[in-house]
Amino acid sequence: MQIAKVIGTVVGNQKEPSLRGSKFLLVRFVDENGEDISNGYEVAIDAVGAGVSEWVLVSRGSAARQIEGNEKRPSDAAIVAIIDTISVENRLIYSKRDHY
């Protein structure tokens, strides 16, 4: 899994049938300071109800299809958790409360 920040939404009227009802979010992978480490964006299926500006955990590749209901969806990335806090060695690196 990787840490990412939700930066937008992706909407499409025509979808592969197994993707109907799926919510797509645009994410960028970030470091502990929220700086872009990916030099680009990725579209991920939202499995947890995340929103724009939230930090999330993203599973990629075949792990993205291990989520119940995603097994047959053509997905390379899935948002599997919304991050509340990140701490390293008793130092708070990220807090959702401080970013809203």
Side-chain angles (χ1 to χ4, degrees):
M1 288 183 277
Q2 288 183 275
I3 296 170
K5 182 177 181 180
V6 178
I7 59 168
T9 60
V10 177
V11 178
N13 291 330
Q14 300 296 320
K15 297 179 189 176
E16 200 282 326
S18 68
L19 293 173
R20 288 191 187 124
S22 298
K23 176 180 166 188
F24 300 111
L25 295 175
L26 193 63
V27 300
R28 68 179 171 100
F29 296 99
V30 297
D31 64 13
E32 68 275 6
N33 297 313
E35 299 297 322
D36 185 1
I37 60 170
S38 58
N39 294 321
Y41 309 103
E42 185 149 352
V43 176
I45 289 179
D46 180 23
V48 295
V52 174
S53 296
E54 289 189 294
W55 285 32
V56 295
L57 290 179
V58 177
S59 285
R60 299 169 83 187
S62 61
R65 291 181 294 280
Q66 299 301 313
I67 300 166
E68 190 172 328
N70 257 16
E71 301 91 346
K72 297 186 181 196
R73 290 183 174 157
S75 169
D76 287 330
I79 296 170
V80 297
I82 299 169
I83 298 171
D84 291 320
T85 61
I86 299 173
S87 302
V88 175
E89 297 178 353
N90 292 327
R91 184 173 63 98
L92 184 64
I93 292 177
Y94 168 81
S95 172
K96 181 177 179 177
R97 183 178 8 203
D98 295 338
H99 284 81
Y100 275 94

